[in-house]
Amino acid sequence: MIGNILVGLVALIHCYIVYLEMVLWDTPRGHKAFGLTPDFAKASKVLAANQGLYNGFLAAGLIWGLTLGAAGFQIKVFFLLCVAIAGLYGAATVSRKILFIQTVPAAVALIVLWLGW
């Protein structure tokens, strides 16, 4: 039960990331969230939208796993691992704060889910 709630929270985080990357990237909110200059945001808007789409697929996979109940356990584990690995890569290459926004919540959800809580 708690594991599924945490999986849902990770999915919601990714839905918000999709919104930031696909809609708000070239706005003051997007600039603040990602530490962007207006010029860089404008020049990279299409790349950010593509990145947002990938984050949307992660959220969709987690939601799919949730809709299957107990039968979705492996799907939830797979997508949580994808989120955690993507977060590790992002933390190593872009910003360490990605570790706390993306990897830690996914890892906690994975552990709680694995323990059957």
Side-chain angles (χ1 to χ4, degrees), residues 57-111:
F57 290 135
L58 293 173
L62 292 170
I63 293 166
W64 175 37
L66 286 171
T67 64
L68 296 175
F73 176 80
Q74 291 177 328
I75 293 166
K76 291 179 275 192
V77 168
F78 173 77
F79 281 97
L80 286 171
L81 285 169
C82 289
V83 169
I85 292 167
L88 287 172
Y89 184 79
T93 60
V94 179
S95 170
R96 243 177 32 182
K97 80 177 187 178
I98 295 172
L99 185 70
F100 303 103
I101 293 170
Q102 188 169 332
T103 306
V104 170
V108 170
L110 186 60
I111 290 166

Side-chain angles (χ1 to χ4, degrees), residues 4-62:
N4 282 333
I5 292 169
L6 293 175
V7 170
L9 289 174
V10 173
L12 286 174
I13 289 168
H14 276 73
C15 287
Y16 183 62
I17 292 170
V18 169
Y19 183 65
L20 282 170
E21 291 174 339
M22 295 187 85
V23 178
L24 298 180
W25 185 262
D26 197 18
T27 68
R29 177 68 189 117
H31 301 166
K32 182 179 177 189
F34 296 103
L36 307 172
T37 64
D39 289 337
F40 181 80
K42 186 174 182 174
S44 61
K45 187 173 183 172
V46 173
L47 291 172
N50 186 51
Q51 186 172 297
L53 184 63
Y54 285 97
N55 278 304
F57 290 135
L58 293 173
L62 292 170

